[in-house]
Amino acid sequence: MPSSQVRYIFRRPKLPGSLLRAERRSTGADYDTAFSRKPAARITRGLAMQYLISPATRLLATPTVVNREVLDTVNTPAVLVANHESHLDTLLLLSILPPRIRDRVVIGAGADYFFDRRTKGFLSALLLGAIPIERTRVSRRSSDLSTELLQSGWSLILFPEGGRTPDGLPQELKAGAAQVALKVGAPILPIYIDGTYELLGKGSTRLQPGKTTVICGKPLYPRQGMRPQALIELVREQLEVLRKEAATDYWQARSTEPSRSFPPASRSWNEAWLSRSHRYRKSGAPSWPRIFGSSSPSELD
Amino acid sequence: MTARPGFVLEVDRSTPPTLFWHGEGLRLERLPRGSRILYPPEPLPAIRDVRAAIEHALDHPAGDQKPLSALLSAGMRLTIAFDDVSLPLPQMAAPDIRSLVIEGVLERAARAGVEDVQVVAALALHRRMTEGELKHALGKRVYNALNPRRLITQHDAEDQAGMLAIGHTDQGELVEINRRAAESDLLVYVNINLVSMDGGHKSVATGLASYASIRHHHNVRTMVHSRSFMDRHSSELHSSNWRMGRLIRESGINVFQIETTLNTNTFPDSFRFLQRREWEWDLRDRTTFVATNEALKRTPPAVARQIFHAIRSPYGVTGINAGEIEAVHELTLEQVYRQQLVRVEGQTDILTMGLPFVGPYNVNSIMNPILVYCLALGYFFNMYRHKPLVRKGGVVILSHPTRPEFDPAFHPSYIDFYEQVLSETTDPLVIEQKYEETFARDPWYIHLYRTGNAYHGVHPFYMWYWGAHALDHLGGVVVLGGDPKTVRRLGFQPATTLDDALEIAKSIVGANPTITHLHSPPLVMADVY
């Protein structure tokens, strides 16, 4: 029997959006994830992370982590914000976090995507420690929950772009993460993830193993009276530099003239082509093995 | 190490049995003493640094064309067309040469600030490529950069608004091609020249054309006068395409043609016996052959087909030429001939050939009886220059299981062609006059061609015309190991063993015939004097 038919049998059909819900709404932003922060769920998650998810992620995405020591020194609870290229981003971040953060961290996940079904919501909360973040409607519930968790000592991972990039280029940052950090006075740490778009970008159905780079920025400590927009602008500036660093090196990223490229002014194909060129093999003949009898370009003249 | 040239072997007592393809299987057959076997040249050495060769070709165009960088500028409209999934066969191991060339072109376009770019699969009337096939042909980088922006499209010959009539040639042939390509400031065509039929003006004039335009050369009269269509200078098919291509050029469409040639390194190391001469098979080759053959006999054809279609060929690139179409194509032809041409003295009474599991039109699909016919009498028969390998009135013996199986998604019109047309007649002229128009205009076939992955309704007819020259030339065709009912429907004779097939052939050509075997794989082309 094809897998689609098996899924059909075991999946309860969704209620059409135009119909009124007679039942109590318990999916989406209303999904209660409190169970996932109880000891039993935390132990399960810890074991799964330690022995299954982290090793598999490291194997498939081979991350190179730059400036990792920041993760050891940043005050907790903290808000970790990263650009979002792929579903792998979450796993990759979790796999590189030191135990002191990883054991007490929740992840903001799209309520409409990860919590649209109870089973999906349960697994996301149990295995990743996800909490629902409302993306499609205005709601205080998500920000209240995030604030509450930060105040009780849980760190928070958020993707302020609000979703995965559809084309490999960064998107505009939303100020929600900054707002929460300001409310609690928690540090906000920008992290740039490079290369997961090529491995499993939005729309891909097959995971392509490869290499990735994760660059940690400097933690930003919110000042009294700071506005969320100003704080998120600082995050944006850091992500812009880290993005350049991923494509070049530390020195070049900081020595070149700053130009607003996060997000870029144009989303045309050539912007994506040039900005992602470092992800693909450079030209040049392989130097080994030497195939005798093959021609070299100079012989083509 | 230089590649050894091809040659003609005369079978004697000590000649080992000869390898025949037999669809998704293999046969070892002992040819009668005195028969000739045409062995292809060994794969030519490949270019070591393909990317550097591409750069070199783009900077040093052949003929009257500027280097690519000089043709690119910000604000221009650029279209890159490429050969579809019908080339090469089997599909090339990643990276596909098309992806490397297109990467090279896009790299320059990006640096020149070109915003308006579109990549078009030049399908003509072939089926649309699947996403997986597109990703393989274009490579991850091109696909990831362009696909989310919907800049990768597939030519649609039935989109009336998307076609542009360029005019008529002096012979009255309508030239109508893809509007986007025609209205671009520069059209770059990226081709793979697996055989000498491909490339040249045929790339644009056929690959990006409509049915109304293609029908002027894809017809019985043209095919019978293409002797052979693998020899561009003696091919009416190509003459017509050249007239159309010159009209396209005169209309002001600037085409930058990039042609690539591959060597015949067709199979990976695990199937290396397929490319070796039988007397050179070592212990490993013999063991692999026996194991493969026995396993294939016990494997259902559908599974064997999947295994074979999963093969990715480790082709080496032997040449990349870019620039003005005609100048480029002459260089390309030289390279193709260098790889495939073998000189043969005199024609033969009986020509034997083994047909593989794949032809240009059944990539990732079933080789149905009409495609078997086309591959044998269209492609293999026409692999000659000067004179056909088999004499007028001679016989072709081909080896293929010829099962009456069809792929309903890719070849829907083939099923009706087989059931409705071939049950009435196998005469190409009658078929053309009586049925072509009905199939070509059928709205359901057009719908499937435009929205699904189906070949155009008229495509089985072209397959039949492809063999028209052979049908006109031959005295008979015997299918070795073919399904008898199906073989008779095609108008041929079935035979169980090679001896039977030779007996049937002798009843047509007379006693003591000369026999020649076209050894494949890999590809070989006969230069008959």
Side-chain angles (χ1 to χ4, degrees):
Chain A
M1 194 160 36
S3 59
S4 59
Q5 291 186 13
V6 176
R7 272 207 305 278
Y8 180 76
I9 293 170
F10 288 102
R11 257 191 188 181
R12 198 167 144 212
K14 279 194 197 176
L15 193 70
S18 56
L19 296 183
L20 287 173
R21 283 178 185 274
E23 58 185 318
R24 192 173 58 84
R25 210 174 119 81
S26 54
T27 53
D30 296 330
Y31 188 88
D32 186 7
T33 54
F35 79 92
S36 66
R37 293 179 290 278
K38 299 265 165 59
R42 287 173 63 184
I43 292 169
T44 313
R45 180 156 69 243
L47 290 172
M49 194 54 70
Q50 180 84 26
Y51 296 107
L52 191 71
I53 300 175
S54 289
T57 310
R58 279 200 292 268
L59 192 72
L60 293 169
T62 326
T64 306
V65 187
V66 181
N67 211 12
R68 190 198 284 265
E69 54 282 3
V70 174
L71 297 170
D72 297 324
T73 54
V74 66
N75 291 350
T76 53
V79 181
L80 313 180
V81 292
N83 62 317
H84 203 11
E85 294 188 350
S86 155
H87 283 320
L88 282 178
D89 295 342
T90 313
L91 304 177
L92 204 54
L93 280 181
L94 287 173
S95 69
I96 62 156
L97 288 182
R100 77 179 181 102
I101 303 181
R102 194 173 67 195
D103 292 346
R104 231 175 137 71
V105 69
V106 290
I107 293 151
D112 51 313
Y113 188 93
F114 286 93
F115 292 92
D116 59 339
R117 291 173 189 284
R118 291 190 60 82
T119 332
K120 209 161 148 193
F122 172 76
L123 289 174
S124 308
L126 177 72
L127 296 176
L128 303 174
I131 57 164
I133 301 288
E134 190 63 79
R135 296 192 290 190
T136 50
R137 293 181 303 166
V138 180
S139 155
R140 290 188 60 86
R141 201 180 152 78
S142 307
S143 85
D144 289 349
L145 178 63
S146 314
T147 314
E148 207 177 288
L149 287 171
L150 270 177
Q151 280 165 343
S152 54
W154 287 79
S155 292
L156 181 63
I157 295 178
L158 285 174
F159 296 106
E161 287 172 89
R164 292 167 294 158
T165 166
D167 53 8
L169 292 174
Q171 306 172 92
E172 203 70 57
L173 300 184
K174 293 181 175 147
Q179 198 174 5
V180 175
L182 279 170
K183 219 185 264 183
V184 185
I188 187 162
L189 176 66
I191 300 174
Y192 187 79
I193 304 170
D194 187 53
T196 47
Y197 179 72
E198 278 72 25
L199 270 54
L200 186 74
K202 194 172 183 176
S204 313
T205 47
R206 196 175 289 180
L207 189 135
Q208 175 78 39
K211 289 181 180 169
T212 54
T213 311
V214 182
I215 312 180
C216 304
K218 277 187 286 192
L220 298 160
Y221 292 90
R223 292 190 306 273
Q224 279 292 326
M226 206 177 189
R227 293 180 61 78
Q229 278 303 341
L231 183 57
I232 205 73
E233 176 61 20
L234 294 177
V235 172
R236 193 199 64 74
E237 281 171 9
Q238 276 213 33
L239 286 176
E240 192 169 280
V241 174
L242 299 181
R243 179 166 177 253
K244 275 189 209 155
E245 186 179 337
T248 53
D249 55 47
Y250 180 88
W251 176 248
Q252 234 180 311
R254 283 158 182 85
S255 60
T256 49
E257 199 63 26
S259 59
R260 200 180 168 91
S261 62
F262 194 107
S266 143
R267 302 195 76 81
S268 74
W269 76 275
N270 48 13
E271 179 64 39
W273 182 268
L274 295 172
S275 68
R276 302 205 74 84
S277 58
H278 66 284
R279 298 298 325 166
Y280 298 90
R281 196 161 58 89
K282 300 280 187 291
S283 61
S287 54
W288 188 90
R290 174 88 174 93
I291 305 163
F292 293 95
S294 66
S295 56
S296 66
S298 58
E299 291 165 32
L300 296 167
D301 283 309
Chain B
M1 196 173 69
T2 50
R4 294 179 296 178
F7 72 111
V8 179
L9 175 86
E10 192 172 320
V11 175
D12 59 22
R13 272 182 61 184
S14 60
T15 306
T18 309
L19 181 75
F20 278 59
W21 266 120
H22 188 68
E24 296 89 18
L26 301 162
R27 292 173 87 108
L28 270 189
E29 295 290 352
R30 211 170 262 285
L31 288 161
R33 214 179 295 177
S35 308
R36 297 183 304 175
I37 305 176
L38 191 54
Y39 276 98
E42 288 186 334
L44 293 174
I47 293 174
R48 186 165 161 70
D49 187 349
V50 178
R51 284 173 199 266
I54 292 169
E55 300 288 312
H56 183 271
L58 299 181
D59 289 336
H60 301 85
D64 183 21
Q65 182 61 284
K66 290 180 193 159
L68 183 65
S69 307
L71 298 168
L72 299 170
S73 60
M76 75 177 298
R77 181 180 252 220
L78 171 67
T79 300
I80 303 170
F82 65 98
D83 277 345
D84 73 349
V85 74
S86 55
L87 286 164
L89 299 170
Q91 286 191 67
M92 190 173 178
D96 191 290
I97 180 61
R98 285 167 290 204
S99 72
L100 297 181
V101 173
I102 295 175
E103 267 181 40
V105 175
L106 285 179
E107 191 68 44
R108 280 153 199 257
R111 295 198 186 283
V114 180
E115 295 266 341
D116 188 358
V117 166
Q118 202 164 100
V119 174
V120 185
L123 301 182
L125 303 176
H126 296 174
R127 69 170 171 88
R128 284 155 51 82
M129 292 165 77
T130 64
E131 286 303 303
E133 290 164 348
L134 274 176
K135 204 182 274 187
H136 179 80
L138 294 173
K140 273 184 292 178
R141 187 173 182 198
V142 176
Y143 188 86
N144 285 343
L146 302 188
N147 198 51
R149 294 171 175 78
R150 299 180 188 281
L151 296 178
I152 300 174
T153 56
Q154 307 207 44
H155 171 67
D156 181 354
E158 288 293 343
D159 176 14
Q160 303 301 331
M163 303 299 297
L164 183 72
I166 309 288
H168 290 82
T169 65
D170 52 2
Q171 308 261 333
E173 297 143 317
L174 170 69
V175 182
E176 190 179 40
I177 66 165
N178 187 296
R179 182 180 288 276
R180 162 80 205 192
E183 290 179 350
S184 291
D185 298 307
L186 180 66
L187 170 61
V188 175
Y189 196 101
V190 181
N191 129 308
I192 296 183
N193 248 87
L194 190 68
V195 291
S196 50
M197 180 192 74
D198 310 320
H201 283 298
K202 189 171 164 293
S203 295
V204 173
T206 300
L208 294 172
S210 67
Y211 165 65
S213 185
I214 291 174
R215 65 186 304 187
H216 289 289
H217 42 75
H218 278 51
N219 56 47
V220 179
R221 192 193 59 77
T222 308
M223 297 319 295
V224 170
H225 290 94
S226 296
R227 302 189 170 197
S228 71
F229 62 65
M230 292 288 174
D231 179 8
R232 117 115 183 94
H233 299 284
S234 317
S235 160
E236 186 49 39
L237 172 75
H238 286 84
S239 303
S240 172
N241 271 291
W242 254 243
R243 286 192 293 274
M244 290 181 165
R246 284 174 184 158
L247 185 71
I248 291 171
R249 186 174 58 199
E250 283 156 19
S251 74
I253 298 169
N254 192 5
V255 183
F256 189 88
Q257 181 95 351
I258 307 170
E259 298 198 346
T260 62
T261 50
L262 304 176
N263 64 15
T264 49
N265 190 13
T266 316
F267 291 95
D269 197 45
S270 43
F271 288 105
R272 70 176 191 188
F273 67 91
L274 287 171
Q275 307 200 127
R276 290 185 156 196
R277 294 159 184 178
E278 289 81 350
W279 59 93
E280 290 174 350
W281 286 8
D282 60 15
L283 182 67
R284 179 183 149 189
D285 295 323
R286 295 192 299 273
T287 315
T288 325
F289 168 76
V290 171
T292 310
N293 205 24
E294 291 305 311
L296 286 172
K297 279 182 199 162
R298 288 161 182 76
T299 311
V303 178
R305 193 177 300 131
Q306 283 195 354
I307 296 170
F308 273 120
H309 280 290
I311 291 176
R312 293 284 175 269
S313 300
Y315 288 120
V317 178
T318 54
I320 297 159
N321 299 298
E324 188 273 322
I325 299 177
E326 292 181 23
V328 165
H329 194 58
E330 286 308 315
L331 296 171
T332 306
L333 281 182
E334 251 176 59
Q335 280 155 350
V336 173
Y337 287 149
R338 198 154 59 88
Q339 174 63 84
Q340 294 175 6
L341 212 56
V342 177
R343 188 185 166 97
V344 181
E345 297 295 336
Q347 292 175 301
T348 184
D349 296 324
I350 300 172
L351 176 66
T352 61
M353 54 175 81
L355 296 192
F357 62 97
V358 67
Y361 313 110
N362 77 311
V363 175
N364 299 323
S365 173
I366 301 167
M367 168 108 65
N368 63 48
I370 297 153
L371 292 177
V372 170
Y373 158 92
C374 171
L375 188 64
L377 299 197
Y379 285 91
F380 279 37
F381 175 85
N382 278 286
M383 287 297 270
Y384 76 82
R385 221 165 59 158
H386 299 122
K387 285 188 283 188
L389 197 46
V390 57
R391 71 163 167 83
K392 178 96 180 158
V395 171
V396 163
I397 297 176
L398 59 101
S399 161
H400 193 277
T402 328
R403 297 183 199 94
E405 294 174 330
F406 293 85
D407 186 324
F410 286 0
H411 305 120
S413 56
Y414 281 67
I415 303 173
D416 295 338
F417 181 86
Y418 181 76
E419 295 295 349
Q420 292 171 17
V421 180
L422 289 187
S423 55
E424 294 280 329
T425 176
T426 55
D427 183 341
L429 270 175
V430 177
I431 289 177
E432 183 178 38
Q433 282 157 12
K434 206 170 159 189
Y435 298 101
E436 181 185 311
E437 197 76 14
T438 331
F439 274 67
R441 306 282 183 208
D442 187 302
W444 179 241
Y445 296 145
I446 291 176
H447 173 74
L448 292 176
Y449 161 77
R450 298 190 64 186
T451 59
N453 293 94
Y455 278 87
H456 194 275
V458 80
H459 204 260
F461 289 78
Y462 292 165
M463 298 299 94
W464 208 258
Y465 309 160
W466 236 229
H469 164 37
L471 284 185
D472 181 48
H473 183 85
L474 294 172
V477 178
V478 184
V479 181
L480 173 58
D483 173 61
K485 208 173 149 195
T486 313
V487 169
R488 289 199 182 97
R489 171 72 64 93
L490 297 176
F492 305 152
Q493 296 186 62
T496 315
T497 64
L498 183 62
D499 288 340
D500 288 356
L502 289 172
E503 283 307 315
I504 296 170
K506 279 178 199 167
S507 70
I508 299 167
V509 298
N512 302 322
T514 53
I515 302 168
T516 302
H517 176 62
L518 195 64
H519 195 283
S520 156
L523 287 168
V524 59
M525 186 170 174
D527 199 9
V528 187
Y529 288 92

